[in-house]
Amino acid sequence: MKHYEVTRISGQPDWENIPVANIDQYLWSDVRSIVPSAQMAWDDKALYVRLQAIEPHILARFTGTLDEVCKDSCLEFFFCPQKGDRYFNFEMNPNGSVYVGYGRPGAARCRLHRGNFKEILQIKPFAIEGGWGVELRIPASFIEIFVPDFRLTAGMTMQANFFKCGDETQQEHYMSWNHVGAPAPNFHLPEYFGQITLQ
């Protein structure tokens, strides 16, 4: 199981000095031309996530909330805010369109539509040479709506994973930070999440 230490910050994240987690597990395909990575930071009020990918053929069609952005070029962050199998999934495309869900895997899972997620999560898509990326800020107050006793504290460990996919892109691909052992494409398996620890 992989482990990533989340950097504590004061003010805005200085991404140039925050460790990188390589999304380097090639799942159900072997598209080596796509090279994704992730970074995280935190303070008392929020988790900060930066995802990016070198990607030669970018697909960005969807623009709405709860659109199926996983069919576009897509970067994703999943995490369990407490012990158990309930988790959030944040899925973004290069337009900054976001799909958010919470709950257990399967039919009981809820798709979330709470106001303007682009504003709530401060989603910022950006371009890099040969690819794209996205930043988001997940407020602790948002997590507390679903997990009332949630608090961001130094030393806490959570289960999490970072993903890259593109179901309908020119090069269909599926990649993860921590390996997923399922026989067919499925990121919604918290038993295959790695660990993140707040420094």
Side-chain angles (χ1 to χ4, degrees):
M1 177 185 294
K2 287 189 176 180
H3 181 262
Y4 178 83
E5 292 193 352
V6 183
T7 303
R8 184 164 191 163
I9 59 169
S10 176
Q12 292 300 307
D14 177 9
W15 295 115
E16 290 187 4
N17 291 304
I18 291 175
V20 172
N22 293 313
I23 304 173
D24 57 5
Q25 301 297 300
Y26 292 82
L27 310 168
W28 315 297
S29 67
D30 194 30
V31 181
R32 301 285 171 157
S33 60
I34 298 172
V35 183
S37 61
Q39 295 167 282
M40 282 190 72
W42 74 285
D43 59 26
D44 294 339
K45 295 184 177 180
L47 292 170
Y48 301 82
V49 184
R50 179 182 171 94
L51 305 164
Q52 68 178 43
I54 295 169
E55 185 171 2
H57 307 289
I58 295 170
L59 181 63
R61 300 166 297 177
F62 296 111
T63 58
T65 300
L66 295 183
D67 283 346
E68 293 184 288
V69 292
C70 61
K71 294 180 178 180
D72 278 352
S73 299
C74 188
L75 286 159
E76 306 182 355
F77 173 58
F78 290 25
F79 82 103
C80 300
Q82 60 185 5
K83 290 183 179 179
D85 60 355
R86 287 190 175 93
Y87 63 95
F88 287 98
N89 54 299
F90 299 90
E91 307 174 14
M92 286 88 35
N93 74 356
N95 296 325
S97 183
V98 60
Y99 182 105
V100 182
Y102 178 70
R104 292 187 171 96
R109 187 156 192 78
C110 295
R111 297 189 306 165
L112 302 183
H113 193 300
R114 183 178 174 82
N116 186 338
F117 272 132
K118 286 187 180 181
E119 291 182 7
I120 292 169
L121 301 173
Q122 299 181 20
I123 293 173
K124 298 175 184 176
F126 58 89
I128 61 171
E129 185 174 352
W132 68 284
V134 63
E135 294 178 13
L136 67 155
R137 177 185 182 273
I138 305 170
S141 59
F142 172 76
I143 301 167
E144 289 168 16
I145 295 168
F146 304 90
V147 186
D149 60 350
F150 181 83
R151 300 292 182 274
L152 290 167
T153 56
M156 75 182 297
T157 295
M158 294 177 279
Q159 304 301 111
N161 215 341
F162 307 104
F163 301 107
K164 175 72 183 80
C165 66
D167 295 10
E168 295 181 357
T169 58
Q170 183 173 325
Q171 296 176 296
E172 181 181 358
H173 58 278
Y174 307 92
M175 303 166 198
S176 67
W177 168 61
N178 198 67
H179 183 74
V180 177
N186 184 1
F187 290 159
H188 292 267
L189 299 168
E191 62 266 34
Y192 291 113
F193 289 4
Q195 289 186 336
I196 60 172
T197 300
L198 307 187
Q199 288 184 330

mmCIF file of all heavy atoms in Angstrom, residues 2-49:
data_model
loop_
_atom_site.group_PDB
_atom_site.id
_atom_site.type_symbol
_atom_site.label_atom_id
_atom_site.label_comp_id
_atom_site.label_asym_id
_atom_site.label_seq_id
_atom_site.Cartn_x
_atom_site.Cartn_y
_atom_site.Cartn_z
ATOM 1 N N LYS A 2 0.583 2.176 -0.901
ATOM 2 C CA LYS A 2 1.344 3.416 -0.966
ATOM 3 C C LYS A 2 0.924 4.381 0.139
ATOM 4 O O LYS A 2 -0.193 4.319 0.646
ATOM 5 C CB LYS A 2 1.166 4.078 -2.329
ATOM 6 C CG LYS A 2 1.905 3.380 -3.464
ATOM 7 C CD LYS A 2 1.845 4.223 -4.722
ATOM 8 C CE LYS A 2 2.652 3.605 -5.840
ATOM 9 N NZ LYS A 2 2.603 4.431 -7.057
ATOM 10 N N HIS A 3 1.856 5.281 0.467
ATOM 11 C CA HIS A 3 1.610 6.263 1.512
ATOM 12 C C HIS A 3 2.109 7.628 1.049
ATOM 13 O O HIS A 3 3.181 7.726 0.442
ATOM 14 C CB HIS A 3 2.322 5.861 2.807
ATOM 15 C CG HIS A 3 2.092 6.804 3.927
ATOM 16 N ND1 HIS A 3 2.992 7.784 4.272
ATOM 17 C CD2 HIS A 3 1.046 6.938 4.782
ATOM 18 C CE1 HIS A 3 2.523 8.476 5.292
ATOM 19 N NE2 HIS A 3 1.343 7.986 5.623
ATOM 20 N N TYR A 4 1.319 8.656 1.312
ATOM 21 C CA TYR A 4 1.688 10.024 0.923
ATOM 22 C C TYR A 4 1.497 10.935 2.127
ATOM 23 O O TYR A 4 0.445 10.903 2.779
ATOM 24 C CB TYR A 4 0.807 10.492 -0.238
ATOM 25 C CG TYR A 4 1.070 11.914 -0.705
ATOM 26 C CD1 TYR A 4 2.112 12.183 -1.592
ATOM 27 C CD2 TYR A 4 0.275 12.973 -0.279
ATOM 28 C CE1 TYR A 4 2.351 13.477 -2.034
ATOM 29 C CE2 TYR A 4 0.509 14.269 -0.705
ATOM 30 C CZ TYR A 4 1.539 14.517 -1.593
ATOM 31 O OH TYR A 4 1.784 15.798 -2.027
ATOM 32 N N GLU A 5 2.512 11.745 2.421
ATOM 33 C CA GLU A 5 2.424 12.702 3.521
ATOM 34 C C GLU A 5 1.976 14.054 2.972
ATOM 35 O O GLU A 5 2.627 14.625 2.090
ATOM 36 C CB GLU A 5 3.768 12.815 4.236
ATOM 37 C CG GLU A 5 4.140 11.536 4.980
ATOM 38 C CD GLU A 5 5.297 11.727 5.933
ATOM 39 O OE1 GLU A 5 5.913 12.824 5.915
ATOM 40 O OE2 GLU A 5 5.587 10.790 6.693
ATOM 41 N N VAL A 6 0.857 14.534 3.509
ATOM 42 C CA VAL A 6 0.236 15.772 3.041
ATOM 43 C C VAL A 6 0.852 16.958 3.786
ATOM 44 O O VAL A 6 0.830 17.024 5.018
ATOM 45 C CB VAL A 6 -1.292 15.720 3.257
ATOM 46 C CG1 VAL A 6 -1.949 16.980 2.693
ATOM 47 C CG2 VAL A 6 -1.889 14.468 2.615
ATOM 48 N N THR A 7 1.388 17.895 3.033
ATOM 49 C CA THR A 7 2.117 19.033 3.585
ATOM 50 C C THR A 7 1.177 20.043 4.244
ATOM 51 O O THR A 7 0.185 20.460 3.639
ATOM 52 C CB THR A 7 2.898 19.746 2.465
ATOM 53 O OG1 THR A 7 3.777 18.804 1.841
ATOM 54 C CG2 THR A 7 3.698 20.923 2.997
ATOM 55 N N ARG A 8 1.506 20.435 5.481
ATOM 56 C CA ARG A 8 0.740 21.504 6.136
ATOM 57 C C ARG A 8 1.211 22.845 5.608
ATOM 58 O O ARG A 8 2.413 23.069 5.425
ATOM 59 C CB ARG A 8 0.919 21.438 7.644
ATOM 60 C CG ARG A 8 0.060 22.489 8.353
ATOM 61 C CD ARG A 8 -0.087 22.211 9.824
ATOM 62 N NE ARG A 8 -1.123 23.081 10.379
ATOM 63 C CZ ARG A 8 -1.733 22.888 11.535
ATOM 64 N NH1 ARG A 8 -1.428 21.833 12.262
ATOM 65 N NH2 ARG A 8 -2.641 23.719 11.974
ATOM 66 N N ILE A 9 0.263 23.752 5.377
ATOM 67 C CA ILE A 9 0.608 25.047 4.804
ATOM 68 C C ILE A 9 -0.012 26.167 5.624
ATOM 69 O O ILE A 9 -0.931 25.959 6.409
ATOM 70 C CB ILE A 9 0.140 25.167 3.336
ATOM 71 C CG1 ILE A 9 -1.384 24.980 3.246
ATOM 72 C CG2 ILE A 9 0.879 24.187 2.444
ATOM 73 C CD1 ILE A 9 -1.962 25.339 1.884
ATOM 74 N N SER A 10 0.510 27.359 5.402
ATOM 75 C CA SER A 10 -0.068 28.592 5.920
ATOM 76 C C SER A 10 -0.176 29.536 4.734
ATOM 77 O O SER A 10 0.828 29.905 4.133
ATOM 78 C CB SER A 10 0.828 29.191 7.011
ATOM 79 O OG SER A 10 0.313 30.417 7.450
ATOM 80 N N GLY A 11 -1.382 29.872 4.344
ATOM 81 C CA GLY A 11 -1.567 30.640 3.126
ATOM 82 C C GLY A 11 -1.795 29.710 1.942
ATOM 83 O O GLY A 11 -2.179 28.558 2.114
ATOM 84 N N GLN A 12 -1.513 30.204 0.753
ATOM 85 C CA GLN A 12 -1.747 29.416 -0.446
ATOM 86 C C GLN A 12 -0.654 28.357 -0.631
ATOM 87 O O GLN A 12 0.496 28.578 -0.256
ATOM 88 C CB GLN A 12 -1.784 30.323 -1.679
ATOM 89 C CG GLN A 12 -2.995 31.244 -1.715
ATOM 90 C CD GLN A 12 -4.301 30.475 -1.712
ATOM 91 O OE1 GLN A 12 -4.518 29.585 -2.530
ATOM 92 N NE2 GLN A 12 -5.177 30.802 -0.770
ATOM 93 N N PRO A 13 -0.995 27.197 -1.229
ATOM 94 C CA PRO A 13 0.027 26.161 -1.449
ATOM 95 C C PRO A 13 1.121 26.630 -2.408
ATOM 96 O O PRO A 13 0.836 27.261 -3.425
ATOM 97 C CB PRO A 13 -0.783 25.003 -2.080
ATOM 98 C CG PRO A 13 -2.208 25.282 -1.763
ATOM 99 C CD PRO A 13 -2.338 26.770 -1.670
ATOM 100 N N ASP A 14 2.347 26.318 -2.062
ATOM 101 C CA ASP A 14 3.495 26.543 -2.949
ATOM 102 C C ASP A 14 3.785 25.207 -3.620
ATOM 103 O O ASP A 14 4.591 24.408 -3.142
ATOM 104 C CB ASP A 14 4.692 27.034 -2.134
ATOM 105 C CG ASP A 14 5.941 27.212 -2.986
ATOM 106 O OD1 ASP A 14 5.835 27.111 -4.231
ATOM 107 O OD2 ASP A 14 7.015 27.414 -2.408
ATOM 108 N N TRP A 15 3.105 24.941 -4.721
ATOM 109 C CA TRP A 15 3.146 23.606 -5.324
ATOM 110 C C TRP A 15 4.537 23.196 -5.772
ATOM 111 O O TRP A 15 4.836 21.999 -5.844
ATOM 112 C CB TRP A 15 2.155 23.534 -6.483
ATOM 113 C CG TRP A 15 0.730 23.683 -6.052
ATOM 114 C CD1 TRP A 15 -0.135 24.694 -6.355
ATOM 115 C CD2 TRP A 15 -0.022 22.775 -5.220
ATOM 116 N NE1 TRP A 15 -1.364 24.487 -5.765
ATOM 117 C CE2 TRP A 15 -1.321 23.317 -5.068
ATOM 118 C CE3 TRP A 15 0.289 21.565 -4.574
ATOM 119 C CZ2 TRP A 15 -2.312 22.682 -4.310
ATOM 120 C CZ3 TRP A 15 -0.703 20.943 -3.823
ATOM 121 C CH2 TRP A 15 -1.978 21.495 -3.698
ATOM 122 N N GLU A 16 5.413 24.156 -6.042
ATOM 123 C CA GLU A 16 6.766 23.807 -6.477
ATOM 124 C C GLU A 16 7.557 23.131 -5.360
ATOM 125 O O GLU A 16 8.541 22.444 -5.626
ATOM 126 C CB GLU A 16 7.502 25.048 -6.968
ATOM 127 C CG GLU A 16 6.967 25.591 -8.281
ATOM 128 C CD GLU A 16 7.815 26.714 -8.830
ATOM 129 O OE1 GLU A 16 8.871 27.026 -8.217
ATOM 130 O OE2 GLU A 16 7.435 27.286 -9.864
ATOM 131 N N ASN A 17 7.112 23.292 -4.118
ATOM 132 C CA ASN A 17 7.833 22.720 -2.989
ATOM 133 C C ASN A 17 7.021 21.668 -2.232
ATOM 134 O O ASN A 17 7.322 21.359 -1.085
ATOM 135 C CB ASN A 17 8.260 23.844 -2.032
ATOM 136 C CG ASN A 17 9.330 24.729 -2.642
ATOM 137 O OD1 ASN A 17 10.384 24.244 -3.054
ATOM 138 N ND2 ASN A 17 9.054 26.016 -2.731
ATOM 139 N N ILE A 18 6.013 21.116 -2.881
ATOM 140 C CA ILE A 18 5.166 20.089 -2.266
ATOM 141 C C ILE A 18 5.407 18.767 -2.988
ATOM 142 O O ILE A 18 5.419 18.715 -4.217
ATOM 143 C CB ILE A 18 3.689 20.510 -2.314
ATOM 144 C CG1 ILE A 18 3.475 21.703 -1.354
ATOM 145 C CG2 ILE A 18 2.763 19.349 -1.954
ATOM 146 C CD1 ILE A 18 2.103 22.305 -1.388
ATOM 147 N N PRO A 19 5.637 17.676 -2.251
ATOM 148 C CA PRO A 19 5.964 16.389 -2.884
ATOM 149 C C PRO A 19 4.891 15.919 -3.873
ATOM 150 O O PRO A 19 3.699 16.202 -3.717
ATOM 151 C CB PRO A 19 6.061 15.431 -1.693
ATOM 152 C CG PRO A 19 6.396 16.305 -0.531
ATOM 153 C CD PRO A 19 5.687 17.599 -0.773
ATOM 154 N N VAL A 20 5.358 15.173 -4.861
ATOM 155 C CA VAL A 20 4.499 14.655 -5.935
ATOM 156 C C VAL A 20 4.212 13.174 -5.693
ATOM 157 O O VAL A 20 5.098 12.405 -5.312
ATOM 158 C CB VAL A 20 5.186 14.845 -7.307
ATOM 159 C CG1 VAL A 20 4.413 14.138 -8.412
ATOM 160 C CG2 VAL A 20 5.335 16.330 -7.618
ATOM 161 N N ALA A 21 2.970 12.796 -5.915
ATOM 162 C CA ALA A 21 2.574 11.383 -5.919
ATOM 163 C C ALA A 21 2.345 10.980 -7.365
ATOM 164 O O ALA A 21 1.488 11.560 -8.048
ATOM 165 C CB ALA A 21 1.298 11.178 -5.104
ATOM 166 N N ASN A 22 3.127 10.045 -7.858
ATOM 167 C CA ASN A 22 3.009 9.627 -9.257
ATOM 168 C C ASN A 22 1.825 8.673 -9.436
ATOM 169 O O ASN A 22 1.722 7.665 -8.743
ATOM 170 C CB ASN A 22 4.295 8.960 -9.723
ATOM 171 C CG ASN A 22 5.454 9.931 -9.776
ATOM 172 O OD1 ASN A 22 5.322 11.036 -10.299
ATOM 173 N ND2 ASN A 22 6.578 9.539 -9.211
ATOM 174 N N ILE A 23 0.963 9.004 -10.364
ATOM 175 C CA ILE A 23 -0.169 8.140 -10.708
ATOM 176 C C ILE A 23 0.358 7.188 -11.783
ATOM 177 O O ILE A 23 0.176 7.394 -12.982
ATOM 178 C CB ILE A 23 -1.376 8.973 -11.183
ATOM 179 C CG1 ILE A 23 -1.751 10.002 -10.104
ATOM 180 C CG2 ILE A 23 -2.570 8.074 -11.507
ATOM 181 C CD1 ILE A 23 -2.816 10.998 -10.532
ATOM 182 N N ASP A 24 1.032 6.150 -11.345
ATOM 183 C CA ASP A 24 1.853 5.344 -12.264
ATOM 184 C C ASP A 24 1.455 3.875 -12.351
ATOM 185 O O ASP A 24 2.206 3.048 -12.880
ATOM 186 C CB ASP A 24 3.319 5.452 -11.867
ATOM 187 C CG ASP A 24 3.587 5.017 -10.424
ATOM 188 O OD1 ASP A 24 2.649 4.540 -9.750
ATOM 189 O OD2 ASP A 24 4.732 5.175 -9.975
ATOM 190 N N GLN A 25 0.269 3.537 -11.855
ATOM 191 C CA GLN A 25 -0.224 2.169 -11.992
ATOM 192 C C GLN A 25 -1.120 2.104 -13.225
ATOM 193 O O GLN A 25 -2.194 2.708 -13.252
ATOM 194 C CB GLN A 25 -1.010 1.761 -10.739
ATOM 195 C CG GLN A 25 -0.198 1.835 -9.462
ATOM 196 C CD GLN A 25 0.972 0.875 -9.472
ATOM 197 O OE1 GLN A 25 0.791 -0.334 -9.593
ATOM 198 N NE2 GLN A 25 2.179 1.413 -9.339
ATOM 199 N N TYR A 26 -0.653 1.402 -14.255
ATOM 200 C CA TYR A 26 -1.389 1.322 -15.519
ATOM 201 C C TYR A 26 -2.356 0.144 -15.436
ATOM 202 O O TYR A 26 -1.941 -1.014 -15.316
ATOM 203 C CB TYR A 26 -0.414 1.174 -16.683
ATOM 204 C CG TYR A 26 0.410 2.422 -16.893
ATOM 205 C CD1 TYR A 26 1.547 2.673 -16.123
ATOM 206 C CD2 TYR A 26 0.033 3.378 -17.828
ATOM 207 C CE1 TYR A 26 2.293 3.832 -16.285
ATOM 208 C CE2 TYR A 26 0.772 4.544 -18.011
ATOM 209 C CZ TYR A 26 1.897 4.757 -17.242
ATOM 210 O OH TYR A 26 2.629 5.909 -17.404
ATOM 211 N N LEU A 27 -3.653 0.453 -15.490
ATOM 212 C CA LEU A 27 -4.692 -0.535 -15.242
ATOM 213 C C LEU A 27 -5.523 -0.778 -16.502
ATOM 214 O O LEU A 27 -5.999 0.176 -17.117
ATOM 215 C CB LEU A 27 -5.611 -0.029 -14.127
ATOM 216 C CG LEU A 27 -4.927 0.467 -12.846
ATOM 217 C CD1 LEU A 27 -5.935 1.198 -11.965
ATOM 218 C CD2 LEU A 27 -4.300 -0.697 -12.084
ATOM 219 N N TRP A 28 -5.719 -2.019 -16.839
ATOM 220 C CA TRP A 28 -6.648 -2.424 -17.901
ATOM 221 C C TRP A 28 -6.299 -1.841 -19.265
ATOM 222 O O TRP A 28 -7.072 -1.953 -20.216
ATOM 223 C CB TRP A 28 -8.099 -2.064 -17.524
ATOM 224 C CG TRP A 28 -8.423 -2.444 -16.109
ATOM 225 C CD1 TRP A 28 -8.434 -3.701 -15.579
ATOM 226 C CD2 TRP A 28 -8.754 -1.560 -15.030
ATOM 227 N NE1 TRP A 28 -8.756 -3.660 -14.246
ATOM 228 C CE2 TRP A 28 -8.960 -2.368 -13.876
ATOM 229 C CE3 TRP A 28 -8.911 -0.175 -14.935
ATOM 230 C CZ2 TRP A 28 -9.312 -1.821 -12.644
ATOM 231 C CZ3 TRP A 28 -9.257 0.364 -13.698
ATOM 232 C CH2 TRP A 28 -9.440 -0.459 -12.576
ATOM 233 N N SER A 29 -5.171 -1.201 -19.380
ATOM 234 C CA SER A 29 -4.633 -0.681 -20.647
ATOM 235 C C SER A 29 -3.176 -0.345 -20.391
ATOM 236 O O SER A 29 -2.721 -0.362 -19.254
ATOM 237 C CB SER A 29 -5.402 0.564 -21.109
ATOM 238 O OG SER A 29 -5.176 1.641 -20.232
ATOM 239 N N ASP A 30 -2.453 -0.013 -21.429
ATOM 240 C CA ASP A 30 -1.022 0.261 -21.260
ATOM 241 C C ASP A 30 -0.633 1.474 -22.102
ATOM 242 O O ASP A 30 0.199 1.396 -22.989
ATOM 243 C CB ASP A 30 -0.203 -0.972 -21.656
ATOM 244 C CG ASP A 30 1.244 -0.868 -21.186
ATOM 245 O OD1 ASP A 30 1.484 -0.225 -20.151
ATOM 246 O OD2 ASP A 30 2.125 -1.421 -21.863
ATOM 247 N N VAL A 31 -1.271 2.613 -21.806
ATOM 248 C CA VAL A 31 -1.056 3.842 -22.568
ATOM 249 C C VAL A 31 0.040 4.650 -21.877
ATOM 250 O O VAL A 31 -0.229 5.440 -20.969
ATOM 251 C CB VAL A 31 -2.363 4.660 -22.682
ATOM 252 C CG1 VAL A 31 -2.133 5.928 -23.488
ATOM 253 C CG2 VAL A 31 -3.466 3.821 -23.321
ATOM 254 N N ARG A 32 1.271 4.437 -22.272
ATOM 255 C CA ARG A 32 2.411 5.048 -21.574
ATOM 256 C C ARG A 32 2.666 6.496 -21.978
ATOM 257 O O ARG A 32 3.495 7.169 -21.365
ATOM 258 C CB ARG A 32 3.673 4.225 -21.847
ATOM 259 C CG ARG A 32 3.560 2.774 -21.387
ATOM 260 C CD ARG A 32 3.664 2.648 -19.891
ATOM 261 N NE ARG A 32 3.355 1.309 -19.412
ATOM 262 C CZ ARG A 32 3.768 0.800 -18.273
ATOM 263 N NH1 ARG A 32 4.538 1.519 -17.477
ATOM 264 N NH2 ARG A 32 3.404 -0.407 -17.900
ATOM 265 N N SER A 33 1.961 6.992 -22.991
ATOM 266 C CA SER A 33 2.163 8.378 -23.410
ATOM 267 C C SER A 33 1.482 9.373 -22.475
ATOM 268 O O SER A 33 1.731 10.573 -22.553
ATOM 269 C CB SER A 33 1.624 8.569 -24.837
ATOM 270 O OG SER A 33 0.238 8.264 -24.885
ATOM 271 N N ILE A 34 0.623 8.890 -21.576
ATOM 272 C CA ILE A 34 -0.060 9.743 -20.612
ATOM 273 C C ILE A 34 0.644 9.600 -19.263
ATOM 274 O O ILE A 34 0.812 8.488 -18.762
ATOM 275 C CB ILE A 34 -1.546 9.371 -20.513
ATOM 276 C CG1 ILE A 34 -2.219 9.599 -21.877
ATOM 277 C CG2 ILE A 34 -2.242 10.179 -19.427
ATOM 278 C CD1 ILE A 34 -3.633 9.091 -21.965
ATOM 279 N N VAL A 35 1.059 10.734 -18.690
ATOM 280 C CA VAL A 35 1.853 10.710 -17.454
ATOM 281 C C VAL A 35 1.194 11.643 -16.431
ATOM 282 O O VAL A 35 1.405 12.852 -16.444
ATOM 283 C CB VAL A 35 3.308 11.143 -17.711
ATOM 284 C CG1 VAL A 35 4.127 11.030 -16.431
ATOM 285 C CG2 VAL A 35 3.927 10.320 -18.829
ATOM 286 N N PRO A 36 0.373 11.091 -15.511
ATOM 287 C CA PRO A 36 -0.308 11.916 -14.517
ATOM 288 C C PRO A 36 0.399 11.920 -13.163
ATOM 289 O O PRO A 36 1.184 11.020 -12.839
ATOM 290 C CB PRO A 36 -1.686 11.252 -14.407
ATOM 291 C CG PRO A 36 -1.434 9.818 -14.767
ATOM 292 C CD PRO A 36 -0.167 9.735 -15.584
ATOM 293 N N SER A 37 0.085 12.944 -12.360
ATOM 294 C CA SER A 37 0.635 13.037 -11.005
ATOM 295 C C SER A 37 -0.312 13.845 -10.125
ATOM 296 O O SER A 37 -1.237 14.497 -10.614
ATOM 297 C CB SER A 37 2.023 13.676 -11.021
ATOM 298 O OG SER A 37 1.966 14.985 -11.541
ATOM 299 N N ALA A 38 -0.056 13.782 -8.821
ATOM 300 C CA ALA A 38 -0.908 14.466 -7.854
ATOM 301 C C ALA A 38 -0.066 15.100 -6.755
ATOM 302 O O ALA A 38 1.050 14.655 -6.467
ATOM 303 C CB ALA A 38 -1.890 13.469 -7.240
ATOM 304 N N GLN A 39 -0.615 16.132 -6.130
ATOM 305 C CA GLN A 39 -0.027 16.758 -4.946
ATOM 306 C C GLN A 39 -1.158 17.149 -4.007
ATOM 307 O O GLN A 39 -2.281 17.414 -4.456
ATOM 308 C CB GLN A 39 0.757 18.020 -5.319
ATOM 309 C CG GLN A 39 1.979 17.782 -6.196
ATOM 310 C CD GLN A 39 2.489 19.076 -6.772
ATOM 311 O OE1 GLN A 39 1.923 19.591 -7.727
ATOM 312 N NE2 GLN A 39 3.552 19.622 -6.191
ATOM 313 N N MET A 40 -0.844 17.203 -2.706
ATOM 314 C CA MET A 40 -1.832 17.622 -1.720
ATOM 315 C C MET A 40 -1.194 18.492 -0.649
ATOM 316 O O MET A 40 -0.004 18.356 -0.348
ATOM 317 C CB MET A 40 -2.481 16.414 -1.035
ATOM 318 C CG MET A 40 -3.537 15.706 -1.857
ATOM 319 S SD MET A 40 -4.447 14.488 -0.863
ATOM 320 C CE MET A 40 -5.439 15.595 0.164
ATOM 321 N N ALA A 41 -2.030 19.357 -0.071
ATOM 322 C CA ALA A 41 -1.638 20.162 1.081
ATOM 323 C C ALA A 41 -2.875 20.328 1.964
ATOM 324 O O ALA A 41 -3.983 19.976 1.565
ATOM 325 C CB ALA A 41 -1.105 21.517 0.631
ATOM 326 N N TRP A 42 -2.643 20.852 3.179
ATOM 327 C CA TRP A 42 -3.792 21.059 4.062
ATOM 328 C C TRP A 42 -3.524 22.183 5.041
ATOM 329 O O TRP A 42 -2.374 22.546 5.311
ATOM 330 C CB TRP A 42 -4.124 19.778 4.836
ATOM 331 C CG TRP A 42 -3.155 19.449 5.954
ATOM 332 C CD1 TRP A 42 -1.893 18.934 5.830
ATOM 333 C CD2 TRP A 42 -3.361 19.644 7.361
ATOM 334 N NE1 TRP A 42 -1.303 18.784 7.067
ATOM 335 C CE2 TRP A 42 -2.185 19.208 8.033
ATOM 336 C CE3 TRP A 42 -4.419 20.136 8.131
ATOM 337 C CZ2 TRP A 42 -2.049 19.257 9.412
ATOM 338 C CZ3 TRP A 42 -4.277 20.181 9.517
ATOM 339 C CH2 TRP A 42 -3.101 19.741 10.141
ATOM 340 N N ASP A 43 -4.618 22.761 5.548
ATOM 341 C CA ASP A 43 -4.568 23.625 6.715
ATOM 342 C C ASP A 43 -5.786 23.293 7.569
ATOM 343 O O ASP A 43 -6.483 22.305 7.297
ATOM 344 C CB ASP A 43 -4.486 25.121 6.326
ATOM 345 C CG ASP A 43 -5.658 25.591 5.480
ATOM 346 O OD1 ASP A 43 -6.761 24.987 5.562
ATOM 347 O OD2 ASP A 43 -5.495 26.583 4.743
ATOM 348 N N ASP A 44 -6.053 24.072 8.592
ATOM 349 C CA ASP A 44 -7.148 23.730 9.503
ATOM 350 C C ASP A 44 -8.516 23.776 8.840
ATOM 351 O O ASP A 44 -9.470 23.194 9.354
ATOM 352 C CB ASP A 44 -7.148 24.678 10.708
ATOM 353 C CG ASP A 44 -5.917 24.492 11.585
ATOM 354 O OD1 ASP A 44 -5.288 23.413 11.504
ATOM 355 O OD2 ASP A 44 -5.581 25.426 12.337
ATOM 356 N N LYS A 45 -8.611 24.458 7.700
ATOM 357 C CA LYS A 45 -9.922 24.682 7.085
ATOM 358 C C LYS A 45 -10.179 23.894 5.812
ATOM 359 O O LYS A 45 -11.332 23.833 5.353
ATOM 360 C CB LYS A 45 -10.103 26.179 6.795
ATOM 361 C CG LYS A 45 -10.159 27.031 8.053
ATOM 362 C CD LYS A 45 -10.441 28.479 7.729
ATOM 363 C CE LYS A 45 -10.561 29.305 9.015
ATOM 364 N NZ LYS A 45 -10.827 30.733 8.717
ATOM 365 N N ALA A 46 -9.142 23.273 5.221
ATOM 366 C CA ALA A 46 -9.375 22.643 3.920
ATOM 367 C C ALA A 46 -8.256 21.684 3.524
ATOM 368 O O ALA A 46 -7.138 21.768 4.025
ATOM 369 C CB ALA A 46 -9.523 23.717 2.839
ATOM 370 N N LEU A 47 -8.602 20.802 2.587
ATOM 371 C CA LEU A 47 -7.635 19.997 1.843
ATOM 372 C C LEU A 47 -7.460 20.644 0.475
ATOM 373 O O LEU A 47 -8.434 21.071 -0.156
ATOM 374 C CB LEU A 47 -8.156 18.570 1.656
ATOM 375 C CG LEU A 47 -8.284 17.697 2.899
ATOM 376 C CD1 LEU A 47 -9.051 16.422 2.562
ATOM 377 C CD2 LEU A 47 -6.912 17.356 3.466
ATOM 378 N N TYR A 48 -6.212 20.709 0.022
ATOM 379 C CA TYR A 48 -5.898 21.287 -1.284
ATOM 380 C C TYR A 48 -5.334 20.172 -2.161
ATOM 381 O O TYR A 48 -4.444 19.431 -1.740
ATOM 382 C CB TYR A 48 -4.856 22.405 -1.147
ATOM 383 C CG TYR A 48 -5.309 23.533 -0.247
ATOM 384 C CD1 TYR A 48 -5.204 23.428 1.149
ATOM 385 C CD2 TYR A 48 -5.843 24.701 -0.779
ATOM 386 C CE1 TYR A 48 -5.629 24.457 1.979
ATOM 387 C CE2 TYR A 48 -6.260 25.740 0.055
ATOM 388 C CZ TYR A 48 -6.153 25.608 1.429
ATOM 389 O OH TYR A 48 -6.575 26.619 2.251
ATOM 390 N N VAL A 49 -5.849 20.065 -3.379
ATOM 391 C CA VAL A 49 -5.437 18.990 -4.281
ATOM 392 C C VAL A 49 -5.059 19.597 -5.634
ATOM 393 O O VAL A 49 -5.786 20.450 -6.171
ATOM 394 C CB VAL A 49 -6.570 17.958 -4.480
ATOM 395 C CG1 VAL A 49 -6.097 16.794 -5.346
ATOM 396 C CG2 VAL A 49 -7.089 17.445 -3.129
#
